[in-house]
Amino acid sequence: MSVVIDTNPATGKAVAELNETDLATLPGRFEKARQAQRIWAAKSFKERAVHIKRMRDYIRDNAEGLARVVSESNGKTLVDALATEVLPCALACQWYGRNAEKVLASKRRSGGSLLFANKRTEIRRLPLGVVGIISPWNYPLSIPFGEIIMGLMAGNAVLLKVAAATPAVGRAIEGIVEAGQLPDGLFQHIVGSGSAVATAFFENGVDKLFFTGSVNAGKVLMAQAARTLTPLSLELGGNDPMIVLADADLERATNGAAWAGYQNAGQSCGGVERVYVEASVYDDFVELLAKKTRALRHGPGNDTSIPVDIGSLTTEGQKCTVEQHLEDALAKGARIEAQSRPVGDVENGYFLPATLLTQVTDDMLVMREETFGPIIAVTAVANVEKALEKANDSKLALTSSIWTRDNKKGRALAARLESGVTTLNDHLYSHGLSETPWGGWKESGIGRTHGPEGLEEMTHVKAINWDLLPAKRNLWWYPFDRATYKGLLNALRFAFPKNPLQWLGASLKLTPFLVWKMFGKQK
């Protein structure tokens, strides 16, 4: 059996060893999951919520240990891990535990026409069965855990595969779920290669796959899923714009840019990468953001007694990508306006300074692709129309933000931005709002997680329809004859009359025929 070693990217030291899952065991694992899922689906929402509450309490009681596991596995600081990983997990338990029943309860659907006045419809949300989750290394705890809770509250079994770079976090998730005392086999953690596990999921009939990762990997999964028509939910990243209007509070805007651009070493698919500032306040914005960038400290962040703002990148490959994007920008004329300063030993980790770039152009990689590192590129625009044009000129469309003191104007402009989420005077936080849907347009993915929409993605939609009064036949059933033909014409004119007189004539002819056809005895 192969051993997977989890290495701290900030120090280069091994922090955990896990056994890779033998994929030959997947058929048995799926069967066990399906047996457990039948037991779980029979429970009420309130009964399921009791188990979820136990997980929430475990997170509360073990918050510091969970934050440390995330920090050592991913490279982010302890503060970052606590704020953006551990806390959102507890919030997810609370919101889905309380709201899943309301969102997924059976609902009556009102009729659409008097012609179907005898029909009644109920919409039910049924569990999918066994859902697979393949999660990334940038938020190795909070991204998959929210989906796990959604899947469980919807009545499903869950098979999780965390990123190969952060397997120790998967083991930490095992501990949280174990505290929930679920039926044996309902949740299972798979350790191994993402592509191999995804293939095994499809081969074993996974009912839906939730994937967060790169655009290229998402396209490969779509091609695989097409062979069996397996549904997918894909969140594939972003190159997110921030628009700063002339009336913005620049102190808040620069604080927000620094947070959303540099947090998690810039490894946030919903973080700020491109900033478009109206020309009249551009110089002031850059001056303020440069000052804040220089004040930031990057280094190992696993000791809260040594203040550090930004940890390491998580993989060597990502560090190389960010360096390539920076070199491309500098070669094309960009200027480094400011950088953060190192704290502690940064020689053995994948550290890069937070970097503010100006004099950027639209052809640079930092403006066209997802850099996924601690780089913010700022450019001036003549007006908000030009900012919107440039912001929407991207194949990625996950999140965006507008900064203005005028919320009414901001909301109107937000509706014109092509992204799954637009925030006003804030950025990079809505993923932590359990009640808010998360997902993007274009190549940022398909489907939604979080909120009512995320719960609904974990279910089949089933319509159940019946008659209020017992009828012998419907208007359009056999026999087909002249009377039926005229009855259907009168039904059409009754439903869509060109004037009141036509409606009256059609109703007088339709009513006796309808009663006779539906309730009378015919030879």
Side-chain angles (χ1 to χ4, degrees), residues 472-490:
K472 302 297 183 184
R473 59 181 54 76
N474 289 325
L475 175 63
W476 52 92
W477 283 8
Y478 299 130
F480 283 178
D481 51 24
R482 183 66 180 171
T484 298
Y485 181 80
K486 287 185 175 180
L488 290 170
L489 278 179
N490 284 319

Side-chain angles (χ1 to χ4, degrees), residues 207-251:
D207 293 294
K208 188 168 185 177
L209 182 63
F210 290 79
F211 173 79
T212 304
S214 71
V215 173
N216 289 337
K219 290 179 178 179
V220 170
L221 290 175
M222 281 196 75
Q224 285 185 280
R227 298 170 193 160
T228 52
L229 290 180
T230 302
L232 293 172
S233 176
L234 304 175
E235 196 266 87
L236 306 177
N239 180 20
D240 296 353
M242 169 178 176
I243 295 176
V244 182
L245 303 188
D247 70 342
D249 179 343
L250 296 187
E251 177 64 20

Side-chain angles (χ1 to χ4, degrees), residues 258-460:
W259 156 257
Y262 302 140
Q263 183 270 334
N264 195 24
Q267 298 170 125
S268 299
C269 44
V272 167
E273 298 206 3
R274 303 174 284 148
V275 183
Y276 301 103
V277 185
E278 285 199 283
S280 61
V281 295
Y282 172 80
D283 289 340
D284 291 340
F285 179 90
V286 169
E287 182 180 355
L288 274 173
L289 184 53
K291 180 180 178 181
K292 297 178 192 303
T293 300
R294 294 187 194 101
L296 293 173
R297 301 149 295 189
H298 64 272
N302 53 9
D303 184 350
T304 55
S305 66
I306 303 173
V308 174
D309 303 298
I310 303 167
S312 72
L313 281 85
T314 305
T315 71
E316 184 178 14
Q318 190 56 43
K319 182 173 181 283
C320 291
T321 296
V322 179
E323 289 174 332
Q324 176 194 0
H325 284 203
L326 179 58
E327 290 168 4
D328 170 81
L330 296 176
K332 293 174 180 175
R335 171 183 169 180
I336 295 178
E337 201 71 38
Q339 290 185 311
S340 60
R341 55 189 172 87
V343 173
D345 182 7
V346 297
E347 297 302 318
N348 297 314
Y350 301 135
F351 291 97
L352 286 176
T355 301
L356 174 61
L357 289 181
T358 58
Q359 299 181 21
V360 294
T361 53
D362 293 339
D363 62 331
M364 296 176 181
L365 293 176
V366 292
M367 303 298 280
R368 304 305 306 173
E369 299 183 9
E370 183 177 41
T371 299
F372 220 57
I375 294 177
I376 298 176
V378 184
T379 188
V381 290
N383 51 53
V384 68
E385 292 299 324
K386 194 65 177 177
L388 290 169
E389 177 187 331
K390 287 180 174 290
N392 287 335
D393 182 22
S394 175
K395 63 184 179 182
L396 298 171
L398 184 58
T399 79
S400 57
S401 62
I402 294 176
W403 301 72
T404 174
R405 285 186 169 91
D406 187 339
N407 276 335
K408 182 179 179 180
K409 177 172 67 175
R411 291 196 300 271
L413 294 172
R416 298 171 59 190
L417 278 169
E418 298 167 357
S419 59
V421 177
T422 299
T423 51
L424 300 185
N425 301 310
D426 211 332
H427 203 117
L428 190 60
Y429 75 97
S430 63
H431 188 274
L433 299 179
S434 299
E435 69 273 20
T436 302
W438 179 261
W441 297 5
K442 304 179 185 178
E443 292 192 3
S444 283
I446 56 175
R448 291 293 184 270
T449 61
H450 296 198
E453 294 80 4
L455 282 168
E456 290 172 351
E457 292 259 5
M458 290 285 182
T459 64
H460 289 296

